[in-house]
Amino acid sequence: MARAIFEHAPAAMLVVDRMGKIHHVNSAAEQLFGYTKETLVGEPIEILVPRDIRQRHERLRMDFMSHARSRPMAEGRRLTARKRDGTDVLVDIALSPISLEISETAVLVSILENPARERAEVAELFVNELTHRARNMFAIIGAISRQIAKNTASVADFQASLEQRLRCLSISYQVFEKEKWKAALINDLVRSQISFVVRQDTPQIEIAGPDVRLQPAPAEYLALAIHELATNAVKHGALTVPTGKVYIHWSVDEAAKLFQFHWAERNGPPVAPSERQGFGSVILKSIVPAACGGTADLAFTPIGMSWNLNAPSSILSHPE
């Protein structure tokens, strides 16, 4: 009767001797961990423990067996178990001392998967990330509004300039959404910002660079720079004439640990730096390079305007 209850219990159950060897496994444990009973019987219980904590688990197991009593395992703490496919699962575990046929003390291990706790932890991470993103967004908006106020002469100009930059941020957030707010594909970021002012498929624009991602904070600021450059190209630069070309390239120098972004205009009308430094120049020369921890060069030459950003490759985001 007891064996039938053990076998058909809805919770995963294992019988483990004082040396940690598995003696019995029920069907629910097979389903939870992906092992057959034949595979698990005779193996140490640590086969179901994440590799990085197995030694610690062995010590805790021996301590428990020396003073065995029925209790939850690590009550209130986060427990994980390792499946056969190498994935970890959050679990709740109860321990109950029993006697095997040879009267040796053993422990009945009852294991329940805990998706509710996992969902709660995911929700907590989401709320924390959302809070961080909101604070960062307000900081950026505050910095933008202060700089615009310094460089505009009227309320109407301030409002128009601020609305333009807020639209830029809104579009960049759609790029972050695709990457679950963890990063931004630079190719998507570039195309999202030039779409404000020009068709993405125009032969006047050449876009090239490796398939890399930026962390959200530097990506937000780079989006502002790209938007300024594209707006200027349409109003005053290479995209004001049919023969004009814009080259948008980026690269990563692994040896130098350097990320480089280049915007260059060619075959447009003659260009010269403005006598008055507007908000766009402040973004390109100061705000963006500072936010990326690097340097930038804005140049006006007879062959066209260019902007080059050099930043540490640590601003890149690597897939987990």
Side-chain angles (χ1 to χ4, degrees):
M1 181 69 173
R3 182 175 289 274
I5 294 174
F6 173 85
E7 175 60 33
H8 298 293
M13 290 187 172
L14 305 96
V15 175
V16 181
D17 68 20
R18 64 182 302 109
M19 300 305 296
K21 185 170 72 173
I22 300 172
H23 283 250
H24 301 289
V25 179
N26 72 353
S27 297
E30 286 185 299
Q31 295 175 8
L32 175 59
F33 294 108
Y35 290 97
T36 64
K37 298 176 184 178
E38 294 75 17
T39 302
L40 285 177
V41 170
E43 292 291 331
I45 186 64
E46 280 73 30
I47 193 175
L48 303 178
V49 176
R51 192 176 302 276
D52 59 341
I53 59 172
R54 286 181 182 177
Q55 288 186 342
R56 180 169 179 270
H57 183 272
E58 288 182 22
R59 294 194 299 270
L60 293 173
R61 170 173 52 78
M62 290 188 288
D63 289 344
F64 172 82
M65 292 305 296
S66 64
H67 303 88
R69 61 184 178 85
S70 296
R71 65 174 176 82
M73 182 177 173
E75 189 172 10
R77 287 165 49 193
R78 186 180 189 274
L79 296 177
T80 56
R82 177 63 56 91
K83 294 185 177 183
R84 184 176 186 177
D85 63 6
T87 59
D88 292 342
V89 57
L90 285 170
V91 292
D92 288 327
I93 300 176
L95 307 172
S96 302
I98 59 173
S99 294
L100 296 177
E101 293 83 349
I102 58 175
S103 298
E104 178 186 356
T105 300
V107 62
L108 175 66
V109 183
S110 303
I111 305 169
L112 282 174
E113 189 173 359
N114 195 336
R117 181 185 295 180
E118 186 169 13
R119 287 195 297 269
E121 291 187 354
V122 170
E124 183 179 3
L125 288 173
F126 175 77
V127 170
N128 289 340
E129 178 64 20
L130 182 61
T131 301
H132 172 74
R133 299 303 313 150
R135 287 174 178 169
N136 192 60
M137 179 180 66
F138 288 131
I140 291 174
I141 293 173
I144 289 174
S145 62
R146 287 191 297 273
Q147 290 295 330
I148 292 175
K150 293 178 182 179
N151 293 277
T152 51
S154 69
V155 173
D157 288 345
F158 174 87
Q159 183 177 359
S161 185
L162 181 60
E163 287 180 354
Q164 183 182 1
R165 273 74 184 195
L166 291 180
R167 285 197 301 270
C168 165
L169 289 174
S170 175
I171 290 295
S172 66
Y173 289 157
Q174 294 178 27
V175 177
F176 302 144
E177 186 178 0
K178 290 174 58 178
E179 296 290 316
K180 303 185 186 303
W181 293 88
K182 294 182 179 180
L185 276 165
I186 297 180
N187 187 64
D188 290 350
L189 195 70
V190 169
R191 294 182 181 279
S192 71
Q193 293 306 321
I194 66 172
S195 67
F196 271 113
V197 292
V198 67
R199 297 193 326 273
Q200 294 189 31
D201 59 350
T202 177
Q204 288 184 265
I205 299 179
E206 178 183 291
I207 301 173
D211 186 19
V212 293
R213 292 167 169 79
L214 277 174
Q215 295 180 24
E220 287 172 326
Y221 285 98
L222 182 60
L224 286 171
I226 296 168
H227 180 76
E228 296 297 330
L229 291 163
T231 301
N232 185 74
V234 168
K235 290 182 177 180
H236 312 291
L239 297 182
T240 60
V241 294
T243 56
K245 291 277 290 185
V246 174
Y247 301 90
I248 310 171
H249 297 170
W250 61 89
S251 61
V252 179
D253 187 332
E254 298 289 354
K257 296 183 178 180
L258 190 66
F259 167 72
Q260 298 174 304
F261 185 91
H262 308 283
W263 176 289
E265 299 182 22
R266 300 291 182 265
N267 303 329
V271 294
S274 172
E275 294 182 0
R276 185 180 69 87
Q277 179 166 283
F279 179 57
S281 296
V282 174
I283 286 180
L284 297 172
K285 292 180 178 180
S286 304
I287 294 179
V288 175
C292 295
T295 59
D297 173 53
L298 179 63
F300 297 87
T301 69
I303 60 173
M305 188 273 284
S306 66
W307 183 73
N308 298 304
L309 172 70
N310 294 308
S313 59
S314 57
I315 68 172
L316 299 177
S317 175
H318 302 285
E320 297 178 355

